[in-house]
Amino acid sequence: MRPIYGIALTLLLAAPVSAPAFAVEPDAPQALISRSDAIRIAVQTRLAEKFTATTELKKDEKGALVEYYAVPQQKLLWVDENGLTDRGKQVIAEIEKADDYGLRASDYALPDMTGFDAGASDAADKLAAAEIEISHAVLDYAHDARGGRINPTSLSKNLDPTLVLPKPLEVIESISYRSDPGAYLRSFQPQHPQFELLRKKLIELRGGGADAPKAEEVAVNMPSGPLLKFGVADPQVALLRTRLDVPDGPNPELYDEAVLEAVKQFQAEHNTTPDGVVGPSTRRLLNKPHLRNMGSPDQINAILLNMERHRWLPADQGSFYVTVNIPEFTLRVMKDDEPVHTTRVVVGKPNTPTPVFSNEMKTVVFGPYWNVPNSIKVEEIRPYVRPSGGFFFGGGGWNTQIFQRQNLRIKYGGREVDPNSVDWNRVDIRSLHLYQPPGPQNVLGKVKFMFPNKHDVYMHDTPQKHLFANQVRAESHGCMRVQNPDQLAAVIMEHDKGWSRARTQSSMDTAYDQHVALGRPIPVYITYFTLKVNEDGSITNYRDLYGHDSRMSAALLSGRTQFAERDDQIVTQSIPQRQRTRGGNPFEEMLSRF
């Protein structure tokens, strides 16, 4: 069929607009091809061209479009023989509002249909190009709105959210039958109440708030035309000078350094790449109403970063879930989007950060054992037991007194082992099972809340209650210590098991390694929000404990998705001395910080 399509398309493009439909070839039956069919054939022809994209996303998008448009009699989505359809205009208008949602409208290539002539010989080809371009923009927008702009784990191994990115074919098939394609595209944006508050604040700080000065009317319209860049002389440069209030030089039509700096500043203020080149996307921005930027660049950037983090959460977080905001040192139990329990937490130190991820709480353990992880065995216990200074204690000649003092036990092959009988100079400490049985000395306290994950972190009680009085509570090895674990346990057990508070408290006080499996797993979201917009419109900021803001900012502003920085290169602020755990024994201090 491809040769027939080619002949038909050539004949159609050569025919005048008023020409009637024609036969596909001289000897064929009187099967006719319409102008819409010709556009669809042109779309298929373009999609059949050699594809050079290098990213998996672009390959998936191309494959989805090939599959969609390959279906016989598949309808066009955005154009017809006369140009853009209402659906096409709706979806373009939605994409052009991307900046209001923390994205960049300039990231999505859209066709410039100014001056389109439906009677031109190349009309079908231009319409096919526009159809494909808009379809790609739709797929890119949906992908970005759900958190696909950057790969969090490439920035840090401790940024490990579960992203659920839309499948390109499902997006294009779903939008094809939606009566309001703009609303469907908008549905990919986070629906969380805080995201909406951030979005409104972003618009306000960019000068678009209800109480802000009204936008000025655009006095100069930049029509479509050639690329304007440094060194070019063109009559439109004079218009550009007027639009950006750049004084005329010796030659008003010359794109000189003054124009270049003004364009770069304009692009930066509108959150697009400041390359100084005026193309179709920059022209669209120039033709929007002037907006006075009412917020500082740093404040706007902070809002954009935190809007992006909302894309890392599922669209539906569930009717009942637990969330921890690391920079806020706060845990909340949420029911129907309202907090039913709020408490303080201690999170990981800057060099042992609490990871950002999502999982499901499946078990509550009353009177838990503490099984010492390998990292602490190697980095904390072995150097203490086998000191480099050569000071030896205990029956075996090693510094083993801490095992008795902290009630730490050792098992090997399922059998209890006396720490004084171990040759600590030769043994691989990772082969030993080190644990602390339930009791008043246990570093996990009376209860722990388990949501199995590869980071091996969870929430638990702690005997170190004094730490909750600190303003900065970054003191653990990564797990989250809960200030009021009895209240958290009561809320969870009442929700899942129907337990009374008295029954929960009894387990807290008397249980010994009691594992209670939850009937329904409870979603747990460990988040990293450094800025919050309050209901009254005010802003609360939290310190960037682990340097994630700088990583994300560099990745988003540069447009790179593989920006990476090792965690050991983080420059972190020190914890004030008065907030550090007191005591001269480094191993005991380690235990207090677990």
Side-chain angles (χ1 to χ4, degrees), residues 439-485:
Q441 290 180 291
N442 192 288
V443 298
L444 304 185
K446 295 182 177 182
V447 63
K448 68 177 178 179
F449 306 89
M450 300 294 295
F451 35 100
N453 58 85
K454 67 180 183 181
H455 303 283
D456 197 26
V457 301
Y458 41 89
M459 301 167 188
H460 62 84
D461 182 18
T462 176
Q464 304 294 323
K465 304 294 187 184
H466 66 278
L467 293 176
F468 295 111
N470 295 340
Q471 182 178 3
V472 178
R473 298 186 290 278
E475 292 283 356
S476 81
H477 275 73
C479 286
M480 292 144 282
R481 287 181 274 181
V482 182
Q483 183 179 25
N484 299 303

Side-chain angles (χ1 to χ4, degrees), residues 201-434:
K201 181 58 66 173
L202 175 68
I203 295 172
E204 175 189 328
L205 294 180
R206 284 176 168 170
D211 299 326
K214 297 298 181 183
E216 302 169 4
E217 293 299 323
V218 177
V220 177
N221 185 273
M222 294 294 298
S224 60
L227 288 178
L228 302 179
K229 56 185 179 180
F230 183 71
V232 168
D234 189 278
Q236 287 195 7
V237 175
L239 292 176
L240 190 59
R241 287 178 181 274
T242 303
R243 171 64 179 83
L244 297 178
D245 297 323
V246 180
D248 289 344
N251 181 2
E253 296 184 356
L254 177 64
Y255 195 120
D256 57 17
E257 289 188 4
V259 177
L260 176 64
E261 290 306 313
V263 170
K264 285 184 175 181
Q265 181 178 350
F266 174 85
Q267 290 172 326
E269 289 175 350
H270 287 76
N271 199 32
T272 188
T273 305
D275 58 8
V277 177
V278 179
S281 61
T282 300
R283 288 176 189 274
R284 283 195 292 270
L285 291 174
L286 289 164
N287 288 335
K288 286 185 174 183
H290 299 212
L291 295 180
R292 298 186 180 97
N293 192 328
M294 306 300 290
S296 70
D298 287 345
Q299 193 174 42
I300 289 175
N301 186 53
I303 290 176
L304 292 171
L305 295 179
N306 285 278
M307 291 178 75
E308 191 69 20
R309 290 178 182 129
H310 274 276
R311 307 182 199 282
W312 298 353
L313 294 169
D316 182 3
Q317 294 177 266
S319 60
F320 187 91
Y321 60 90
V322 178
T323 182
V324 171
N325 187 26
I326 296 168
E328 192 181 359
F329 309 109
T330 299
L331 176 150
R332 294 179 177 86
V333 180
M334 304 293 292
K335 184 175 182 180
D336 299 327
D337 290 327
E338 295 292 335
V340 295
H341 177 67
T342 302
T343 192
R344 294 184 172 194
V345 293
V346 172
V347 301
K349 295 175 292 184
N351 63 331
T352 55
T354 298
V356 176
F357 70 105
S358 301
N359 214 292
E360 292 183 328
M361 186 185 299
K362 297 180 179 179
T363 308
V364 176
V365 183
F366 296 99
Y369 277 82
W370 178 45
N371 297 303
V372 183
N374 282 334
S375 59
I376 292 180
K377 293 178 190 176
V378 172
E379 297 170 16
E380 307 281 358
I381 296 179
R382 183 173 62 185
Y384 184 81
V385 175
R386 196 175 67 194
S388 58
F391 296 100
F392 305 125
F393 308 91
W398 309 103
N399 189 0
T400 61
Q401 296 175 9
I402 196 67
F403 286 92
Q404 291 77 26
R405 192 156 56 243
Q406 293 296 329
N407 197 26
L408 279 171
R409 311 283 182 84
I410 302 174
K411 279 188 177 181
Y412 182 78
R415 299 178 61 184
E416 290 281 348
V417 176
D418 183 345
N420 294 317
S421 68
V422 176
D423 184 349
W424 292 101
N425 199 39
R426 300 178 61 184
V427 72
D428 182 351
I429 197 170
R430 293 170 299 181
S431 66
L432 304 178
H433 177 203
L434 272 58

